[in-house]
């Protein structure tokens, strides 16, 4: 059960001021897993910044301290968001023309899932410095996460038009076009990005994905080679070479490439997801469980991983753990109705609970966005469970009828007359009297005189 994702988080290229931003990978990761109700969007160019002078030394010092604090906490793996937010807010307030603290605030809010606040921070960063195209890119990603693809495209297109030499906005437009199914525009934007920045991994990602979908293996190899030369330490080329090997049904080579990608970047979640898929395909349930746990550690909102983890737990004969993962997948994403089907099979065939299984099957059928074909195995499983329930009901009714009949007979047996006593047997002849003991007096004789116990006296 190999479920792939088309989105690969990569680090953004481009120069930045010293200590100007947080880890740029947050930009993609924060929006990929958070959905919110889309608020009204007004995509307008930001006004001119209030001041164009140099940054005050005090604000810059506070900004540097905030970045140092972030680096320390990130190394420990324990970010104190309220404290970091306060530090960057303090730095932004110290100089109304300093844009970078607002941009970093946007990244923090985005990572926390506070998309409305992230959008406001990015907009303020652009108001202070319209040339900070990373803020426009971050704002576009927030709009994507809020389901506002048109607004995201508008922001990115305006940025690309205003800054003809900017590559990052074009790479994001390529990714957005790919996700929307417009291959031609995706290819055009990606090539434009590479013309401006030959090291743009996001542009390579889009072109590699297009080539892989089209089955052009030679182009995949060529693009992967170019990406490796451009970014020798990047995990993306090895990842796509692994997917190519998987397409060629070469699991050993695919595994080696995915492991190479992880060696280059230990937090490269897509490679762990692919390793899990390969392990499940070969019934290596322990290996799949290990890889999927890593996926969820890197991204707790990777809802599909819970679904696959349920399959792995069932393969390891841990029915309770499997059921818990299926239920967690549904809680994580209500659209993952496949979990209802897998849960139903577990309830029917492992727990022998057809009542619960029927309920799960019906939720799977009703929750599918598309009409299921009549030969889908869920209908056979549902019918089997219904027949089993009907047979169990018949058996129970028969048992109750037999018990009632037996109970009806027992009172009649208790009220019937007792059986007649057996006829008396003739008594045996009396035995002859035993001869009389001469020492025994005959009946009616006076009692014998008491014996004289006195000793004779001398």
């Amino acid at each position: 059960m190999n479920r792939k994702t088309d989105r690969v988080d990569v680090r953004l290229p481009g120069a930045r001021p010293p200590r100007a931003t947080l880890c740029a990978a947050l930009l993609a990761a924060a929006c990929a897993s958070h959905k919110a109700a889309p608020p009204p969007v007004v995509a307008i160019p930001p006004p001119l910044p209030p001041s164009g002078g140099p940054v005050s030394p005090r604000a810059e010092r506070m900004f540097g301290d905030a970045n140092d604090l972030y680096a320390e906490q990130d190394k420990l793996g324990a970010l104190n968001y309220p404290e970091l937010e306060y530090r960057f807010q303090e730095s932004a307030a110290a100089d109304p023309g300093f844009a970078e603290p607002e941009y970093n605030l946007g990244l923090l809010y985005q990572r926390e899932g506070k998309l409305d606040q992230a959008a406001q921070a990015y907009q303020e960063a652009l108001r202070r410095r319209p040339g900070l195209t990373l803020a426009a890119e971050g704002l576009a990603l927030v709009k994507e996460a809020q389901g506002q693809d048109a607004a995201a495209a508008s922001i990115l297109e305006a940025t690309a038009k205003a800054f003809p030499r900017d590559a990052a906005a074009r790479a994001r437009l390529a990714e957005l076009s790919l996700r929307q199914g417009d291959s031609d525009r995706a290819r055009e934007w990606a090539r434009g990005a590479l013309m401006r920045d030959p090291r743009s991994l996001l542009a390579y990602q889009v072109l590699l994905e297009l080539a892989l979908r089209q089955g052009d293996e030679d182009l995949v190899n060529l693009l992967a080679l170019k990406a490796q030369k451009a970014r020798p330490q990047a995990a993306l080329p090895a990842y796509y070479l692994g997917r190519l090997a998987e397409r060629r049904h070469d699991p050993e080579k695919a595994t080696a490439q995915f492991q190479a990608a992880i060696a280059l970047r230990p937090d490269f979640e897509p490679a762990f997801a692919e390793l899990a898929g390969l392990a499940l395909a070969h019934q290596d349930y322990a290996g799949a469980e290990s890889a999927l746990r890593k996926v969820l550690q890197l991204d707790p909102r990777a809802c599909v991983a819970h679904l696959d983890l349920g399959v792995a737990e069932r393969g390891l004969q841990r029915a309770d753990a499997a059921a818990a993962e299926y239920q967690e997948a549904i809680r994580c994403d209500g659209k993952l109705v496949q979990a209802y089907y897998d849960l139903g099979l577990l309830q029917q065939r492992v727990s022998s609970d057809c009542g619960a299984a029927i309920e799960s099957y019906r939720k799977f059928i009703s929750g599918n966005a598309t009409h299921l074909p009549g030969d889908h195995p869920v209908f056979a499983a549902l019918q089997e469970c219904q027949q089993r329930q009907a047979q169990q009901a018949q058996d129970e009714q028969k048992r109750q009828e037999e018990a009632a009949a037996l109970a009806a007979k027992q009172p009649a047996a208790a009220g019937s007359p007792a059986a007649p006593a057996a006829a008396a047997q003739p008594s045996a002849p009396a035995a002859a009297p035993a001869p009389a003991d001469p020492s025994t007096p005959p009946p009616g004789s006076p009692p014998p005189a008491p014996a004289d116990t006195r000793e004779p006296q001398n």
Side-chain angles (χ1 to χ4, degrees):
M1 194 173 292
N2 189 6
R3 299 175 174 87
K4 298 182 176 64
T5 176
D6 292 335
R7 190 180 188 91
V8 179
D9 297 334
V10 297
R11 298 182 182 275
L12 301 177
R16 297 176 177 83
R19 299 190 300 183
T21 63
L22 303 178
C23 175
L26 299 181
L27 204 58
C31 280
S33 59
H34 296 284
K35 297 292 181 182
V41 176
V42 180
I44 57 174
L48 293 175
S51 66
V55 175
S56 73
R58 178 172 176 269
E60 190 170 8
R61 183 176 61 254
M62 295 166 67
F63 180 65
D65 292 342
N67 274 318
D68 290 342
L69 179 63
Y70 171 84
E72 292 173 6
Q73 293 184 359
D74 187 51
K75 186 176 181 180
L76 296 173
L79 293 180
N80 185 336
Y81 287 105
E83 182 181 12
L84 291 169
E85 290 168 13
Y86 174 77
R87 291 294 191 92
F88 285 117
Q89 288 167 355
E90 188 180 38
S91 174
D95 188 334
F98 196 13
E100 278 75 6
E102 291 290 346
Y103 172 73
N104 280 10
L105 274 171
L107 284 174
L108 285 174
Y109 289 139
Q110 199 171 346
R111 187 168 184 175
E112 292 179 88
K114 300 176 180 179
L115 299 186
D116 291 339
Q117 291 172 264
Q120 291 174 2
Y122 289 138
Q123 287 169 341
E124 176 60 20
L126 287 170
R127 189 187 72 81
R128 296 184 177 201
R129 184 153 75 91
L132 187 59
T133 56
L134 284 173
E137 187 182 349
L139 180 59
L141 282 172
V142 170
K143 299 307 179 188
E144 281 189 61
Q146 292 175 327
Q148 302 176 41
D149 287 356
S154 177
I155 293 167
L156 291 170
E157 287 173 0
T159 303
K161 184 177 180 180
F163 301 94
R165 298 176 64 85
D166 183 78
R170 287 167 171 79
R172 285 293 170 194
L173 278 166
E175 184 192 35
L176 179 58
S177 300
L178 177 66
R179 190 165 56 80
Q180 293 176 333
D182 192 341
S183 299
D184 292 338
R185 282 183 63 81
R187 189 177 292 105
E188 179 183 353
W189 284 116
R191 288 174 175 171
L194 285 174
M195 287 176 62
R196 291 159 176 81
D197 179 10
R199 301 176 72 247
S200 172
L201 274 181
L202 185 56
Y204 274 118
Q205 173 200 330
V206 172
L207 293 177
L208 280 163
E209 188 66 37
L210 286 169
L212 191 64
R213 292 182 184 183
Q214 293 170 355
D216 193 338
E217 297 183 359
D218 292 337
L219 184 56
V220 172
N221 281 315
L222 177 62
L223 288 168
L225 180 61
K226 287 185 174 182
Q228 282 176 331
K229 288 183 177 179
R231 294 288 186 91
Q233 300 303 314
L236 189 72
Y239 168 75
Y240 272 97
L241 289 174
R243 287 183 59 186
L244 181 60
E246 196 175 13
R247 181 186 178 91
R248 291 172 172 171
H249 306 289
D250 188 346
E252 292 183 2
K253 185 175 181 180
T255 299
Q257 291 290 350
F258 294 140
Q259 289 174 341
I262 292 169
L264 289 166
R265 183 175 158 190
D267 63 344
F268 196 69
E269 177 198 333
F272 284 105
E274 292 294 336
L275 284 175
L278 284 171
L280 284 175
H282 293 84
Q283 298 184 357
D284 177 9
Y285 298 117
E289 183 202 17
S290 176
L292 289 165
R293 296 285 182 199
K294 187 65 177 179
V295 169
L296 288 169
Q297 178 186 343
L298 293 169
D299 182 9
R301 296 291 301 172
C303 302
V304 176
H306 286 292
L307 187 58
D308 287 344
L309 191 52
V311 177
E313 293 289 3
R314 182 180 174 185
L316 292 169
Q317 307 298 318
R318 297 198 285 251
D320 291 343
E325 291 298 336
Y326 293 142
Q327 291 163 351
E328 185 59 34
I330 296 164
R331 282 192 292 270
C332 184
D333 184 357
K335 296 179 181 178
L336 285 177
V337 294
Q338 175 68 29
Y340 284 119
Y341 177 57
D342 292 351
L343 180 60
L345 290 175
L346 186 72
Q347 292 164 334
Q348 176 183 357
R349 297 178 181 174
V350 178
S351 305
S352 299
D353 187 351
C354 263
I358 289 173
E359 182 181 356
S360 296
Y361 291 148
R362 286 173 175 166
K363 288 180 178 178
F364 169 69
I365 294 167
S366 63
N368 260 282
T370 57
H371 181 71
L372 292 173
D375 59 350
H376 192 285
V378 68
F379 296 111
L382 178 61
Q383 184 179 13
E384 179 186 339
C385 242
Q386 289 172 332
Q387 290 175 348
R388 187 185 300 178
Q389 271 200 325
Q391 184 63 48
Q392 288 174 346
Q394 290 177 1
D395 293 344
E396 178 63 19
Q397 183 178 2
K398 184 178 179 181
R399 188 190 66 78
Q400 290 179 357
E401 289 174 353
E402 291 175 350
L406 181 61
K409 290 179 181 179
Q410 287 175 350
S416 60
Q425 297 295 327
S427 57
D437 186 353
S439 63
T440 304
S445 300
D452 189 358
T453 60
R454 294 174 300 174
E455 294 289 333
Q457 297 180 359
N458 294 324

